[in-house]
Amino acid sequence: MVGISPASMDLDVVDTNNIITGDSSGDDVSRAYYKLKEAIGMYEAIHGALPQDLHGSLALDCGSAPGGWTKYLIEHFGCKQVYSIDPGELSPSVMKLKETMHMQMKIQYALPKLLEDEAVASDGGGVKLWVSDMCLHNMAEQVELLLLAKEEGVLAPNAFFVLTLKCVVGHSKLAYDAQVKKVVDKFFMDANLDCVETFHLFSNRSGER
């Protein structure tokens, strides 16, 4: 889960606003790519490398367009399949990756279809990596959708997740902290979690919190 915490100047921060790439949507792909890279890197700096069984696993990228997080999951974790879920279009550079399965719909409609997928439904299957950078009016919906996927059997046991919690109500750090704390506290009450860390990410658009 990604939220806000005291910032450290020792972090490896990438200014993604100035990255130049080869295709027309490349800036957005690269910016998103480095956001997930930063989140994973900060978590591993505290807890060490993520379990090896995440590599080569099934992953799901919720709200994926234009595809930066999908690309990172494929390149960093070598995921055999990434269910890249978004009503919007993916960048051609992401669509051409053989591991990308674009489900051009909202996550609520995708979940039943995923249960029909043999890779998800088989014993020992399920999504081991769930990431979501959706822009939602209510940040608690990020958690609710993840819990829904767990209840319906889409997630594998001990799945790893990254969720962005975006502040859309209030503009102060105090208001943001209070919203995030409320969501995280409820998450602990509603789910059997081993660990949750919240971080303030720097790899965002100019003006994003």
Side-chain angles (χ1 to χ4, degrees), residues 29-209:
V29 170
S30 294
R31 185 176 291 110
Y33 183 101
Y34 281 102
K35 186 189 293 187
L36 183 56
K37 180 179 179 181
E38 181 187 352
I40 296 294
M42 293 175 77
Y43 184 90
E44 290 188 323
I46 296 172
H47 298 280
L50 290 171
Q52 281 298 310
D53 65 352
L54 295 179
H55 293 263
S57 65
L58 295 177
L60 186 148
D61 182 4
C62 190
S64 57
W69 285 29
T70 293
K71 184 176 182 181
Y72 181 82
L73 291 169
I74 293 169
E75 293 184 354
H76 182 74
F77 290 100
C79 292
K80 59 184 177 183
Q81 186 91 75
V82 177
Y83 301 99
S84 191
I85 301 172
D86 198 299
E89 299 287 340
L90 295 183
S91 165
S93 67
V94 178
M95 281 294 296
K96 73 180 182 181
L97 299 173
K98 68 181 188 300
E99 298 88 353
T100 300
M101 179 181 287
H102 186 200
M103 301 178 72
Q104 200 165 8
M105 62 188 73
K106 292 183 177 181
I107 182 63
Q108 295 91 327
Y109 304 119
L111 289 177
K113 295 181 180 296
L114 287 168
L115 291 173
E116 300 172 1
D117 190 301
E118 184 178 345
V120 174
S122 64
D123 289 339
V127 170
K128 289 189 175 182
L129 278 161
W130 173 290
V131 299
S132 177
D133 192 31
M134 289 189 296
C135 292
L136 300 168
H137 180 71
N138 181 0
M139 67 170 66
E141 291 181 41
Q142 285 279 40
V143 171
E144 292 166 2
L145 290 167
L146 176 62
L147 293 177
L148 179 62
K150 179 182 178 183
E151 291 169 4
E152 295 193 0
V154 171
L155 291 184
N158 299 318
F160 182 82
F161 62 88
V162 176
L163 310 176
T164 56
L165 302 179
K166 302 180 182 183
C167 182
V168 296
V169 179
H171 301 285
S172 70
K173 179 181 182 299
L174 186 62
Y176 197 178
D177 286 349
Q179 291 176 65
V180 170
K181 184 178 186 304
K182 182 178 179 180
V183 170
V184 174
D185 288 348
K186 188 175 187 303
F187 198 11
F188 266 107
M189 290 177 60
D190 295 344
N192 182 21
L193 302 176
D194 291 333
C195 177
V196 172
E197 295 286 350
T198 59
F199 303 115
H200 175 199
L201 298 182
F202 293 89
S203 299
N204 284 319
R205 288 181 181 274
S206 298
E208 277 190 344
R209 293 180 61 79

